[in-house]
Amino acid sequence: MVWPVFLLHGTTGLANKTPSIVTIEPTTSGQEVTVEKLLLLVDDEPYILKALQRLFHRSDYKVLTAKCGYQALDIIRDHPVAVLISDYNMPNITGAELLSVAKTLRPDMYTIVLSGNSDQDAVIQSINEGGASKFISKPWDENELHRVVDDAYANWSKQHYALDTPGLLKQASFVDALNTTLKGPYTHDYAIIYMQLADYQNVREVIGTGEERDLLNRILEQRSGESTQEAVMGLMDDGRLCVFLKIPESESHERCIAALLNSLPPSVTYNTHYFRTAFNSGYSVSAPSRRDANQLIKDALTAMHHATASGDSKAIKFKRAMQLKSTEQITLNNQLHQALENNEFSLYYQPKINLADQSLCGAEALLRWSNATLGSVSPDVFIPLAEHSPLINEIGDWVIRHAASQWVEVIPTESTTARVSVNVSPIQLQDPRFISRLVSALSVSGVNPTQLEIELTESTALHDLDSSLPLLRNIRDLGVKISIDDFGTGFSSLNYLSRLPVDIMKIDRSFVLPMHESTSNRQLVKNLINMGQDLGLEVVAEGVENAEQLATLAEFGCDVIQGFYYSRPLPLAEFIEFLSGYTPSQQAVPANAPFDGYRLTG
Ligand code: C2E
Ligand code: CA
Ligand code: CA
């Protein structure tokens, strides 16, 4: 069985902390390394350390060394050491003292004392007191020492791995491994994914208690081997899976997570039962300022509960709104339900600029909510909340009506091709009234349907082609344009995109933002643009903030640009002002123009 569990943390964190004292053996070559078997050697005699190191050099242990008890304790505190071999007679603190403190830090660590016969009585006492697990006298027998360490490690593994599946860690070890990984210099993001079987309740009814683990084991065994992702998996105390995944530079979180989920088999048979193995999963992502393993795991769990509630098989990212205390949720919810009635919503407009001739080719309408008690609340907070109730349909309808009628006000000439786009939640598409309400908004406002565009994010709803195809065709038959928003962040498959009746593809800002960081980031954006254009789509890049990004996108032949570089989203009156001051010819953008969110408002 191929079970790719990968070594996640580099050695630099430790090296940074105590550069001159700790030496770390290079890990096994390549990416595919099992979770580290950490072996710590402690002796004040350099030649003994060397000899011990040589002894374990060729084995798959990761060997750490310390020249005194204090250094050893630092290492033990920061690293999940499995086996410790320590000299007894050392300056500063003795072997016995080291072992007793070490045991409180890592109770499950196996400790071997090396000493001359003269210390034997003291060592035996230490063993009796529970500090040391084993005594080996100097000079040691190499074979014996090796065997003792192997046995100790096998024992340790039993305590740390949840199953026979090598690498599926128990919760405590998983948390440890994540903490260690995030402690070093911050070089990569990690996604922390909490997941449970979508049919969890059914599963529990069918199989006996305690068997869930075996079922999980079966699923993991059948994970397709081609995945080269660096992932560490944990079986949490609640019986669910948690994974942390290294996000390579130039990759999006969403794509990595999708690849992970896709590597799992769609179904398994277990004890003659057939199980669908769809998972509900939620995830959080580390950041230089977000490195607390417990918090990240907690956030992923919160997101997983949301995924379960919405029945979404796509992994859902943790958002701050999910974490609101229940009292805050209730206030927010209550206020939100009155917001329409109290007229607290408004629309802001963010211009979109055609790169070829610098003309203003449209604007995205973005919803704003300003409430007397709560102040102004981000749509990232209240939209997900509204999506949990039928309210999203009412709010969505309000947005379409207002955007359509305001656009007629803003762009009075029928002949213009400039479009206003509105964001439509996948939940709105499931409302049978959607089309009739859209038709009504078009006729009441009098806007030319070709001047309206709806932005749809990729979602499982869209993937169900049987129901989404007729609906999208209906929308398009009205003349309304359809845009796929946040492209690249979901389970984007070109195959599926090519079958959907869409006109525009919006590349998510998470791809545009890191373009300057590497060639591969730029190449990715270039590929996205080419793929979209090959499908005959107009390609919009969003989140363009500076001239460098603009120049690169122009070089790649991107069609339309949206972002702070041209303008932030503006309230209606300011947007109208922006329009009146905007002349394409004057606005040819110098490649080195400084970033200024309001550059073109004057
Ligand atoms: P989105 O559809 O991806 O909208 C673009 C978001 O990017 C907006 O955030 C916009 O202010 C921001 N943005 C624009 N240019 C830049 C830039 O250069 N740099 C950066 N860093 N950000 C930029 P906003 O307005 O906070 O909206 C957040 C999300 O809320 C939207 O993401 C959309 O998913 C949702 N949303 C907003 N209005 C509506 C709505 O009327 N209905 C629905 N269903 N969702 C909405
Ligand atoms: Ca959008
Ligand atoms: Ca977006």
Side-chain angles (χ1 to χ4, degrees), residues 204-222:
R204 296 191 82 150
E205 279 168 26
V206 176
I207 64 174
T209 36
E211 278 188 279
E212 296 141 40
R213 290 167 168 232
D214 298 331
L215 177 65
L216 274 180
N217 203 17
R218 177 65 52 85
I219 296 170
L220 295 179
E221 274 172 6
Q222 291 180 21

Side-chain angles (χ1 to χ4, degrees), residues 364 423 455 457 485-487 489 506-510 542-543 562:
E364 176 173 4
N423 292 284
E455 297 193 5
T457 44
D485 203 356
D486 301 342
F487 187 79
T489 62
K506 288 188 86 174
I507 298 179
D508 190 56
R509 59 183 184 278
S510 61
E542 65 171 20
Q562 178 185 349

Side-chain angles (χ1 to χ4, degrees), residues 329-402:
Q329 287 268 12
I330 292 165
T331 317
L332 205 64
N333 230 333
N334 285 342
Q335 298 291 336
L336 190 58
H337 274 83
Q338 292 158 25
L340 272 175
E341 223 171 280
N342 296 345
N343 226 346
E344 294 171 359
F345 288 122
S346 66
L347 290 175
Y348 275 43
Y349 293 89
Q350 186 175 35
K352 296 181 191 171
I353 308 293
N354 187 317
L355 254 180
D357 60 5
Q358 296 290 313
S359 64
L360 185 140
C361 58
E364 176 173 4
L366 291 155
L367 186 57
R368 296 293 177 259
W369 176 28
S370 171
N371 175 274
T373 343
L374 299 161
S376 69
V377 186
S378 158
D380 280 331
V381 172
F382 70 82
I383 294 284
L385 205 66
E387 285 177 333
H388 277 109
S389 78
L391 196 57
I392 187 65
N393 295 313
E394 308 313 313
I395 295 177
D397 186 50
W398 184 95
V399 169
I400 295 180
R401 281 172 195 281
H402 280 74

Side-chain angles (χ1 to χ4, degrees), residues 461-482:
L462 276 190
H463 282 238
D464 179 9
L465 290 177
D466 284 346
S467 59
S468 61
L469 266 182
L471 179 66
L472 296 187
R473 289 210 182 103
N474 260 337
I475 295 172
R476 242 189 165 191
D477 287 346
L478 296 172
V480 173
K481 301 274 190 240
I482 301 177

Side-chain angles (χ1 to χ4, degrees), residues 30 55 65 120 179 223-224 243 260 372 383 497 521:
L55 181 58
T65 61
Q120 209 163 356
N179 258 329
R223 194 179 160 203
S224 57
V243 183
L260 175 91
I383 294 284
L497 189 66
N521 287 1

Side-chain angles (χ1 to χ4, degrees), residues 149-450:
V149 170
D150 287 348
D151 288 351
Y153 186 76
N155 206 11
W156 183 87
S157 299
K158 263 196 216 127
Q159 294 176 39
H160 283 258
Y161 293 126
L163 291 169
D164 299 336
T165 314
L168 186 65
L169 294 170
K170 286 188 181 165
Q171 176 163 325
S173 309
F174 178 82
V175 176
D176 241 355
L178 180 57
N179 258 329
T180 313
T181 301
L182 294 173
K183 217 165 244 170
Y186 197 87
T187 52
H188 284 94
D189 287 348
Y190 287 87
I192 292 85
I193 309 135
Y194 217 111
M195 45 207 282
Q196 82 172 0
L197 281 172
D199 291 339
Y200 201 57
Q201 290 311 332
N202 292 336
V203 169
R204 296 191 82 150
E205 279 168 26
V206 176
I207 64 174
T209 36
E211 278 188 279
E212 296 141 40
R213 290 167 168 232
D214 298 331
L215 177 65
L216 274 180
N217 203 17
R218 177 65 52 85
I219 296 170
L220 295 179
E221 274 172 6
Q222 291 180 21
R223 194 179 160 203
S224 57
E226 82 257 24
S227 164
T228 52
Q229 290 178 304
E230 297 189 33
V232 165
M233 300 217 168
L235 180 64
M236 308 310 269
D237 294 344
D238 60 10
R240 296 167 177 134
L241 275 182
C242 195
V243 183
F244 69 92
L245 188 65
K246 180 174 177 174
I247 309 295
E249 207 190 332
S250 85
E251 270 295 350
S252 81
H253 310 143
E254 289 83 358
R255 284 149 60 97
C256 291
I257 293 166
L260 175 91
L261 295 178
N262 285 336
S263 73
L264 298 169
S267 64
V268 290
T269 29
Y270 175 79
N271 279 354
T272 72
H273 293 295
Y274 168 89
F275 291 106
R276 198 170 65 92
T277 53
F279 281 92
N280 292 129
S281 35
Y283 68 97
S284 57
V285 181
S286 70
S289 59
R290 277 170 59 80
R291 302 200 204 189
D292 177 354
N294 283 314
Q295 188 60 49
L296 286 162
I297 292 169
K298 220 159 114 195
D299 292 349
L301 177 62
T302 304
M304 188 202 79
H305 287 313
H306 279 253
T308 309
S310 65
D312 208 328
S313 64
K314 184 179 149 182
I316 290 188
K317 186 175 181 180
F318 170 77
K319 293 203 172 104
R320 211 166 29 88
M322 298 176 176
Q323 199 191 17
L324 294 175
K325 288 195 212 84
S326 47
T327 51
E328 289 172 319
Q329 287 268 12
I330 292 165
T331 317
L332 205 64
N333 230 333
N334 285 342
Q335 298 291 336
L336 190 58
H337 274 83
Q338 292 158 25
L340 272 175
E341 223 171 280
N342 296 345
N343 226 346
E344 294 171 359
F345 288 122
S346 66
L347 290 175
Y348 275 43
Y349 293 89
Q350 186 175 35
K352 296 181 191 171
I353 308 293
N354 187 317
L355 254 180
D357 60 5
Q358 296 290 313
S359 64
L360 185 140
C361 58
E364 176 173 4
L366 291 155
L367 186 57
R368 296 293 177 259
W369 176 28
S370 171
N371 175 274
T373 343
L374 299 161
S376 69
V377 186
S378 158
D380 280 331
V381 172
F382 70 82
I383 294 284
L385 205 66
E387 285 177 333
H388 277 109
S389 78
L391 196 57
I392 187 65
N393 295 313
E394 308 313 313
I395 295 177
D397 186 50
W398 184 95
V399 169
I400 295 180
R401 281 172 195 281
H402 280 74
S405 52
Q406 290 184 339
W407 199 247
V408 176
E409 230 179 276
V410 170
I411 313 256
T413 45
E414 265 263 320
S415 58
T416 175
T417 53
R419 291 189 297 262
V420 63
S421 66
V422 291
N423 292 284
V424 170
S425 156
I427 291 167
Q428 288 173 258
L429 294 182
Q430 286 162 12
D431 182 0
R433 292 167 301 175
F434 182 77
I435 282 283
S436 58
R437 288 179 140 189
L438 178 62
V439 171
S440 152
L442 289 170
S443 75
V444 170
S445 65
V447 75
N448 184 334
T450 59

Side-chain angles (χ1 to χ4, degrees), residues 86-89 95-96 99 112-136:
S86 176
D87 182 23
Y88 190 80
N89 243 330
L99 294 177
I112 300 166
V113 179
L114 281 179
S115 80
N117 281 330
S118 55
D119 303 317
Q120 209 163 356
D121 288 348
V123 173
I124 286 168
Q125 193 187 340
S126 169
I127 290 179
N128 288 339
E129 284 165 2
S133 325
K134 177 94 188 165
F135 162 66
I136 289 184

